[in-house]
Amino acid sequence: MPYLGSEDVVKELKKALCNPHIQADRLRYRNVIQRVIRYMTQGLDMSGVFMEMVKASATVDIVQKKLVYLYMCTYAPLKPDLALLAINTLCKDCSDPNPMVRGLALRSMCSLRMPGVQEYIQQPILNGLRDKASYVRRVAVLGCAKMHNLHGDSEVDGALVNELYSLLRDQDPIVVVNCLRSLEEILKQEGGVVINKPIAHHLLNRMSKLDQWGQAEVLNFLLRYQPRSEEELFDILNLLDSFLKSSSPGVVMGATKLFLILAKMFPHVQTDVLVRVKGPLLAACSSESRELCFVALCHVRQILHSLPGHFSSHYKKFFCSYSEPHYIKLQKVEVLCELVNDENVQQVLEELRGYCTDVSADFAQAAIFAIGGIARTYTDQCVQILTELLGLRQEHITTEIQPES
Amino acid sequence: MIGGLFIYNHKGEVLISRVYRDDIGNAVDAFRVNVIHARQQVRSPVTNIARTSFFHVKRSNIWLAAVTKQNVNAAMVFEFLYKMCDVMAAYFGKISEENIKNNFVLIYELLDEILDFGYPQNSETGALKTFITQQGIKSQTKEEQSQITSQVTGQIGWRREGIKYRRNELFLDVLESVNLLMSPQGQVLSAHVSGRVVMKSYLSGMPECKFGMNDKIVIEKQGKGTADETSKSGKQSIAIDDCTFHQCVRLSKFDSERSISFIPPDGEFELMRYRTTKDIILPFRVIPLVREVGRTKLEVKVVIKSNFKPSLLAQKIEVRIPTPLNTSGVQVICMKGKAKYKASENAIVWKIKRMAGMKESQISAEIELLPTNDKKKWARPPISMNFEVPFAPSGLKVRYLKVFEPKLNYSDHDVIKWVRYIGRSGIYETRC
């Protein structure tokens, strides 16, 4: 988009927004506002029509309201004096009978990143925390975090924090999770939200009612809870066992991490934990989605760093298919290198040897490097293979082998 | 959690940008420079630049990137990006530059709802459609308002009360993807089938459904005898390695009796995902024969055998035979289908429209090579296949899907049920 014409565009839109004919026709009015937003997204400076947009926010049309609020949230930091005018409408909308309008207004007000807005936000947020509709409560809880983010230096409001802690017992599952996130941000200086025994047990009991995002978050927060006794530990493991087989890969990974960390605290439980975790992780490594496959492979590598040889019997799962993307093949080769043991070394070396003559020079070199790594323990076989490869006299292979020897 | 979300087109121009945290300043440009315009062809889905992590997903030629400076759950971020794509597709179809530009307002609305302050919120498409306004105001009556709140906070969040259909129907699709890696000697190196059961239900009320398949554990439990007896009586059972279910399935019942019972969401949803690695029916067997004649010619003969019932037809069969980089010309002879040498892809592509079970087809090719000074030995890439078959390669068979709705006056017999099996090839490679 040429920036040269932006002034003309702004003038034209200003005229259109002030035109009473357009204002009377709901659809046309909305179209003009949509054009403003479009130019804004493309990078043109639309702050010239701020006044007209503020006037447009006084409407019954929810879609139009959303558009105007979006505009205001983007430009408020640039024109703080004008934005204060908009706040009046927003405050009014926070008491609208329709819960969606209330939620929308509250959310927009909290996203106004400009100094001085704090005094106006506090009351609506407090009202929102006690609103009948769960939709509004969710927005209000996150609003507390946004408010704190804006004014990082100010003191933490103790009353607000207490209110949020009590909302952890709310009926609506999303409100509960939002509370955790909010408290985490607000109490960052003190190390985040405190997960004590009653809170941990309360969360564990509600896990099944949460959606996948909530479950992943709670699993993350539970990392900081330390079970006092082995009995408690096993209770937790049994409760969370089903999440290892969740249909959401994010939840599976979160549960895996929690299990492994719990195992570190009680080492003799480690074997049991690893057995439970192995299945889902291996399944994820052959996932159809490439990104999740990549993430799972990275996790497997991490586990092998601390517990080498754990997946050794499943080495075949890490053989590379020709059509897999580069980044997955590289991860698999690294994993193969780490899980070599007496039983599978022959087959693994043969497979790696096949990769050394691959079309892609990067991949071939990675395979050679891996053979070099294995050579530290199984010198004879590796040296034999490397000598054979040298015999092929291919430059990129030879350069890689030299440092190995 | 997520500091910023950006959508770019193939040129790297920003289509949608939403920043949630102040420290994600120049991330928009950083991603474009370091990932989209990077010189490497294939980029890792996770990139770390200066303590900022970029996660991206590509759909046709659109890039979706999530940026964060915190230590987040990577799988969660990708799952969110996929969900974002699903939701957008549910609203306006294919994800393309044009569709995004035409619906950018809707996308901003959606982002507000599902990713408030960088934290994923409610993202069930059904619930979202009730409160994302697309056309005009919907002044909600009190009834609708209460319905929305109860759907969002109620016992059963995935199905609302009072659904009525004249015709009660349901469609079950068993979609499988069979993956194979075979050695040159014909030995299976690794094979697995990943499948999903997708259900489209148009049922009234709040029906209880029970899904039964030929799960080995269930059959053995029912006392129909040991594995030997079942194979004798012709009833095949499959051993599922692991499976995951939709939220609506009662897991406690599955753990105790291995039965899958649920109240389905209205419309289409994925009931379960599973994987099997044993007793897979490999629909095709590829037998390659490669002979090097001197240094200037390569003779290749590939036989494919279809390994399923003669009454079934496989479709969209494609066999790719890779050729060396220094190929000068190729002559192919095949009785069935059409084969063409594609120099740009370095492969002979053999396409057969349809093939019945228990049949054999053959292709022979003579590949002429240019003499090269390069003493590089050509590492033969494997022969890969694509196909679609109307049965489940894992051997899964739907035994029943019973519907009970005691409150309304229709019974299990009144429901019209359709089942179909679609088995596709995933990565199906035979080394040669």
Side-chain angles (χ1 to χ4, degrees), chain A residues 203-237:
Chain A
L203 290 173
L204 283 166
N205 285 329
R206 297 206 65 185
M207 277 288 273
S208 49
K209 301 258 171 34
L210 304 174
D211 61 11
Q212 72 226 74
W213 318 113
Q215 285 172 354
E217 290 268 15
V218 169
L219 285 167
N220 196 29
F221 281 111
L222 285 173
L223 285 171
R224 35 180 104 153
Y225 176 64
Q226 293 200 348
R228 310 257 167 75
S229 68
E230 207 172 293
E231 213 184 290
E232 203 186 338
L233 167 74
F234 275 110
D235 278 341
I236 297 180
L237 287 181

Short mmCIF file of all heavy atoms in Angstrom, two decimals, chain A residues 203-237:
data_model
loop_
_atom_site.label_atom_id
_atom_site.label_comp_id
_atom_site.label_asym_id
_atom_site.label_seq_id
_atom_site.Cartn_x
_atom_site.Cartn_y
_atom_site.Cartn_z
N LEU A 203 -7.85 -28.46 42.50
CA LEU A 203 -7.60 -28.46 41.05
C LEU A 203 -7.61 -29.88 40.50
O LEU A 203 -8.18 -30.14 39.44
CB LEU A 203 -6.25 -27.80 40.75
CG LEU A 203 -6.18 -26.29 40.98
CD1 LEU A 203 -4.75 -25.82 40.81
CD2 LEU A 203 -7.08 -25.56 40.01
N LEU A 204 -6.99 -30.80 41.24
CA LEU A 204 -6.94 -32.18 40.75
C LEU A 204 -8.34 -32.74 40.60
O LEU A 204 -8.64 -33.46 39.66
CB LEU A 204 -6.13 -33.05 41.73
CG LEU A 204 -4.61 -32.88 41.63
CD1 LEU A 204 -3.92 -33.48 42.83
CD2 LEU A 204 -4.10 -33.53 40.36
N ASN A 205 -9.21 -32.37 41.53
CA ASN A 205 -10.56 -32.90 41.45
C ASN A 205 -11.35 -32.32 40.29
O ASN A 205 -12.28 -32.94 39.79
CB ASN A 205 -11.32 -32.62 42.76
CG ASN A 205 -10.84 -33.53 43.86
OD1 ASN A 205 -10.43 -34.66 43.61
ND2 ASN A 205 -10.87 -33.03 45.09
N ARG A 206 -11.00 -31.14 39.87
CA ARG A 206 -11.77 -30.51 38.80
C ARG A 206 -11.17 -30.73 37.42
O ARG A 206 -11.72 -30.25 36.43
CB ARG A 206 -11.87 -29.01 39.07
CG ARG A 206 -12.62 -28.74 40.34
CD ARG A 206 -13.27 -27.41 40.34
NE ARG A 206 -14.31 -27.33 39.34
CZ ARG A 206 -14.98 -26.23 39.07
NH1 ARG A 206 -14.67 -25.13 39.73
NH2 ARG A 206 -15.90 -26.19 38.16
N MET A 207 -10.05 -31.43 37.36
CA MET A 207 -9.34 -31.58 36.09
C MET A 207 -10.23 -32.09 34.98
O MET A 207 -10.17 -31.62 33.85
CB MET A 207 -8.17 -32.56 36.24
CG MET A 207 -6.93 -31.95 36.79
SD MET A 207 -6.11 -30.87 35.62
CE MET A 207 -5.11 -32.04 34.75
N SER A 208 -11.08 -33.07 35.30
CA SER A 208 -11.84 -33.69 34.21
C SER A 208 -12.86 -32.72 33.62
O SER A 208 -13.29 -32.88 32.48
CB SER A 208 -12.55 -34.94 34.72
OG SER A 208 -13.21 -34.60 35.91
N LYS A 209 -13.25 -31.67 34.39
CA LYS A 209 -14.26 -30.76 33.85
C LYS A 209 -13.62 -29.69 32.96
O LYS A 209 -14.31 -28.97 32.25
CB LYS A 209 -14.99 -30.04 34.99
CG LYS A 209 -15.67 -30.96 35.95
CD LYS A 209 -17.15 -30.99 35.66
CE LYS A 209 -17.89 -32.05 36.43
NZ LYS A 209 -17.42 -32.34 37.77
N LEU A 210 -12.31 -29.56 33.02
CA LEU A 210 -11.68 -28.48 32.25
C LEU A 210 -11.54 -28.90 30.79
O LEU A 210 -11.50 -30.07 30.47
CB LEU A 210 -10.29 -28.19 32.81
CG LEU A 210 -10.18 -27.83 34.28
CD1 LEU A 210 -8.72 -27.72 34.67
CD2 LEU A 210 -10.85 -26.51 34.53
N ASP A 211 -11.39 -27.89 29.93
CA ASP A 211 -11.11 -28.22 28.53
C ASP A 211 -9.60 -28.41 28.38
O ASP A 211 -8.85 -28.25 29.33
CB ASP A 211 -11.62 -27.12 27.59
CG ASP A 211 -10.97 -25.78 27.86
OD1 ASP A 211 -9.99 -25.71 28.61
OD2 ASP A 211 -11.46 -24.78 27.31
N GLN A 212 -9.16 -28.76 27.17
CA GLN A 212 -7.75 -29.14 27.01
C GLN A 212 -6.80 -28.02 27.39
O GLN A 212 -5.73 -28.29 27.95
CB GLN A 212 -7.48 -29.61 25.57
CG GLN A 212 -7.49 -28.50 24.55
CD GLN A 212 -8.29 -28.86 23.33
OE1 GLN A 212 -9.51 -28.87 23.34
NE2 GLN A 212 -7.59 -29.15 22.27
N TRP A 213 -7.14 -26.78 27.12
CA TRP A 213 -6.23 -25.69 27.44
C TRP A 213 -6.09 -25.57 28.96
O TRP A 213 -5.01 -25.38 29.50
CB TRP A 213 -6.74 -24.36 26.88
CG TRP A 213 -7.31 -24.47 25.52
CD1 TRP A 213 -8.61 -24.31 25.15
CD2 TRP A 213 -6.61 -24.79 24.32
NE1 TRP A 213 -8.75 -24.51 23.81
CE2 TRP A 213 -7.55 -24.80 23.27
CE3 TRP A 213 -5.27 -25.08 24.02
CZ2 TRP A 213 -7.20 -25.07 21.96
CZ3 TRP A 213 -4.93 -25.35 22.71
CH2 TRP A 213 -5.89 -25.35 21.70
N GLY A 214 -7.26 -25.68 29.63
CA GLY A 214 -7.24 -25.60 31.09
C GLY A 214 -6.42 -26.72 31.68
O GLY A 214 -5.62 -26.51 32.61
N GLN A 215 -6.59 -27.91 31.15
CA GLN A 215 -5.87 -29.06 31.70
C GLN A 215 -4.37 -28.85 31.56
O GLN A 215 -3.61 -29.09 32.50
CB GLN A 215 -6.28 -30.34 30.98
CG GLN A 215 -7.65 -30.81 31.40
CD GLN A 215 -8.15 -31.96 30.54
OE1 GLN A 215 -7.52 -32.34 29.56
NE2 GLN A 215 -9.27 -32.52 30.91
N ALA A 216 -3.94 -28.39 30.38
CA ALA A 216 -2.50 -28.20 30.18
C ALA A 216 -1.96 -27.16 31.16
O ALA A 216 -0.89 -27.33 31.73
CB ALA A 216 -2.22 -27.76 28.75
N GLU A 217 -2.72 -26.09 31.38
CA GLU A 217 -2.26 -25.04 32.31
C GLU A 217 -2.16 -25.57 33.72
O GLU A 217 -1.18 -25.32 34.42
CB GLU A 217 -3.24 -23.87 32.30
CG GLU A 217 -3.25 -23.07 31.03
CD GLU A 217 -2.29 -21.89 31.07
OE1 GLU A 217 -1.41 -21.84 31.96
OE2 GLU A 217 -2.44 -21.04 30.20
N VAL A 218 -3.20 -26.29 34.15
CA VAL A 218 -3.20 -26.78 35.53
C VAL A 218 -2.04 -27.74 35.73
O VAL A 218 -1.36 -27.72 36.76
CB VAL A 218 -4.55 -27.45 35.86
CG1 VAL A 218 -4.46 -28.19 37.16
CG2 VAL A 218 -5.64 -26.40 35.93
N LEU A 219 -1.79 -28.60 34.72
CA LEU A 219 -0.66 -29.53 34.84
C LEU A 219 0.64 -28.75 35.02
O LEU A 219 1.52 -29.16 35.76
CB LEU A 219 -0.58 -30.41 33.58
CG LEU A 219 -1.63 -31.51 33.51
CD1 LEU A 219 -1.67 -32.11 32.12
CD2 LEU A 219 -1.36 -32.59 34.52
N ASN A 220 0.74 -27.62 34.33
CA ASN A 220 1.93 -26.80 34.47
C ASN A 220 2.04 -26.22 35.87
O ASN A 220 3.11 -26.20 36.47
CB ASN A 220 1.86 -25.67 33.43
CG ASN A 220 3.19 -25.01 33.24
OD1 ASN A 220 4.23 -25.64 33.41
ND2 ASN A 220 3.17 -23.74 32.89
N PHE A 221 0.91 -25.76 36.42
CA PHE A 221 0.95 -25.17 37.75
C PHE A 221 1.22 -26.22 38.81
O PHE A 221 1.83 -25.93 39.84
CB PHE A 221 -0.37 -24.46 38.05
CG PHE A 221 -0.45 -23.11 37.41
CD1 PHE A 221 -1.33 -22.87 36.37
CD2 PHE A 221 0.38 -22.08 37.82
CE1 PHE A 221 -1.39 -21.62 35.78
CE2 PHE A 221 0.33 -20.83 37.22
CZ PHE A 221 -0.56 -20.60 36.20
N LEU A 222 0.75 -27.44 38.57
CA LEU A 222 0.96 -28.48 39.57
C LEU A 222 2.43 -28.85 39.71
O LEU A 222 2.81 -29.52 40.67
CB LEU A 222 0.14 -29.73 39.20
CG LEU A 222 -1.35 -29.62 39.47
CD1 LEU A 222 -2.07 -30.82 38.92
CD2 LEU A 222 -1.61 -29.49 40.96
N LEU A 223 3.25 -28.40 38.76
CA LEU A 223 4.67 -28.71 38.84
C LEU A 223 5.27 -28.19 40.13
O LEU A 223 6.23 -28.75 40.65
CB LEU A 223 5.43 -28.07 37.66
CG LEU A 223 5.25 -28.74 36.32
CD1 LEU A 223 5.87 -27.88 35.24
CD2 LEU A 223 5.93 -30.09 36.32
N ARG A 224 4.70 -27.11 40.65
CA ARG A 224 5.33 -26.55 41.84
C ARG A 224 4.78 -27.13 43.12
O ARG A 224 5.22 -26.76 44.20
CB ARG A 224 5.23 -25.03 41.90
CG ARG A 224 4.00 -24.44 41.38
CD ARG A 224 4.08 -22.99 41.52
NE ARG A 224 4.37 -22.42 40.23
CZ ARG A 224 4.02 -21.22 39.87
NH1 ARG A 224 3.41 -20.46 40.73
NH2 ARG A 224 4.30 -20.77 38.69
N TYR A 225 3.84 -28.04 43.00
CA TYR A 225 3.32 -28.63 44.23
C TYR A 225 4.13 -29.88 44.58
O TYR A 225 4.39 -30.71 43.73
CB TYR A 225 1.85 -28.99 44.05
CG TYR A 225 1.27 -29.69 45.25
CD1 TYR A 225 1.20 -29.04 46.47
CD2 TYR A 225 0.85 -31.00 45.17
CE1 TYR A 225 0.69 -29.67 47.58
CE2 TYR A 225 0.34 -31.63 46.28
CZ TYR A 225 0.27 -30.98 47.49
OH TYR A 225 -0.23 -31.61 48.58
N GLN A 226 4.53 -29.96 45.84
CA GLN A 226 5.31 -31.14 46.23
C GLN A 226 4.49 -32.03 47.14
O GLN A 226 4.16 -31.62 48.25
CB GLN A 226 6.56 -30.68 46.99
CG GLN A 226 7.51 -29.93 46.10
CD GLN A 226 8.89 -29.92 46.71
OE1 GLN A 226 9.07 -30.27 47.85
NE2 GLN A 226 9.85 -29.50 45.91
N PRO A 227 4.18 -33.22 46.70
CA PRO A 227 3.41 -34.11 47.57
C PRO A 227 4.24 -34.51 48.79
O PRO A 227 5.44 -34.73 48.67
CB PRO A 227 3.10 -35.32 46.68
CG PRO A 227 4.04 -35.23 45.56
CD PRO A 227 4.48 -33.82 45.40
N ARG A 228 3.59 -34.58 49.94
CA ARG A 228 4.36 -34.78 51.17
C ARG A 228 4.72 -36.24 51.39
O ARG A 228 5.71 -36.55 51.99
CB ARG A 228 3.58 -34.29 52.39
CG ARG A 228 3.06 -32.92 52.20
CD ARG A 228 3.85 -31.84 52.93
NE ARG A 228 3.43 -30.55 52.43
CZ ARG A 228 2.28 -30.00 52.76
NH1 ARG A 228 1.48 -30.60 53.62
NH2 ARG A 228 1.92 -28.85 52.23
N SER A 229 3.82 -37.11 50.92
CA SER A 229 4.09 -38.52 51.22
C SER A 229 3.99 -39.33 49.94
O SER A 229 3.45 -38.90 48.94
CB SER A 229 3.07 -39.05 52.21
OG SER A 229 1.81 -39.08 51.55
N GLU A 230 4.53 -40.54 50.00
CA GLU A 230 4.50 -41.39 48.81
C GLU A 230 3.07 -41.76 48.46
O GLU A 230 2.70 -41.88 47.30
CB GLU A 230 5.30 -42.66 49.11
CG GLU A 230 5.88 -43.26 47.86
CD GLU A 230 6.83 -44.38 48.21
OE1 GLU A 230 7.88 -44.09 48.80
OE2 GLU A 230 6.47 -45.52 47.92
N GLU A 231 2.25 -41.91 49.51
CA GLU A 231 0.84 -42.27 49.27
C GLU A 231 0.16 -41.19 48.45
O GLU A 231 -0.53 -41.46 47.47
CB GLU A 231 0.16 -42.36 50.63
CG GLU A 231 -0.93 -43.41 50.69
CD GLU A 231 -1.60 -43.34 52.04
OE1 GLU A 231 -0.97 -43.72 53.03
OE2 GLU A 231 -2.74 -42.86 52.08
N GLU A 232 0.42 -39.93 48.86
CA GLU A 232 -0.18 -38.81 48.14
C GLU A 232 0.32 -38.80 46.70
O GLU A 232 -0.43 -38.57 45.76
CB GLU A 232 0.20 -37.50 48.83
CG GLU A 232 -0.77 -36.37 48.53
CD GLU A 232 -0.28 -35.07 49.12
OE1 GLU A 232 0.53 -35.10 50.06
OE2 GLU A 232 -0.71 -34.02 48.62
N LEU A 233 1.61 -39.08 46.55
CA LEU A 233 2.20 -39.09 45.21
C LEU A 233 1.48 -40.09 44.32
O LEU A 233 1.09 -39.79 43.20
CB LEU A 233 3.68 -39.44 45.29
CG LEU A 233 4.35 -39.77 43.95
CD1 LEU A 233 4.54 -38.52 43.14
CD2 LEU A 233 5.69 -40.43 44.18
N PHE A 234 1.27 -41.29 44.84
CA PHE A 234 0.62 -42.31 44.02
C PHE A 234 -0.82 -41.95 43.73
O PHE A 234 -1.34 -42.24 42.65
CB PHE A 234 0.72 -43.69 44.68
CG PHE A 234 2.00 -44.37 44.36
CD1 PHE A 234 2.97 -44.56 45.32
CD2 PHE A 234 2.27 -44.79 43.06
CE1 PHE A 234 4.17 -45.18 45.02
CE2 PHE A 234 3.46 -45.41 42.74
CZ PHE A 234 4.42 -45.60 43.72
N ASP A 235 -1.48 -41.30 44.70
CA ASP A 235 -2.85 -40.85 44.43
C ASP A 235 -2.86 -39.91 43.25
O ASP A 235 -3.70 -40.03 42.34
CB ASP A 235 -3.39 -40.10 45.66
CG ASP A 235 -3.92 -41.07 46.70
OD1 ASP A 235 -4.18 -42.22 46.33
OD2 ASP A 235 -4.05 -40.66 47.87
N ILE A 236 -1.93 -38.97 43.27
CA ILE A 236 -1.87 -38.00 42.17
C ILE A 236 -1.57 -38.70 40.86
O ILE A 236 -2.21 -38.44 39.84
CB ILE A 236 -0.81 -36.92 42.46
CG1 ILE A 236 -1.16 -36.12 43.70
CG2 ILE A 236 -0.65 -35.99 41.26
CD1 ILE A 236 -0.16 -35.04 44.02
N LEU A 237 -0.60 -39.61 40.87
CA LEU A 237 -0.23 -40.30 39.63
C LEU A 237 -1.42 -41.06 39.07
O LEU A 237 -1.69 -41.03 37.87
CB LEU A 237 0.93 -41.27 39.88
CG LEU A 237 2.31 -40.64 40.09
CD1 LEU A 237 3.35 -41.73 40.29
CD2 LEU A 237 2.71 -39.79 38.90
#
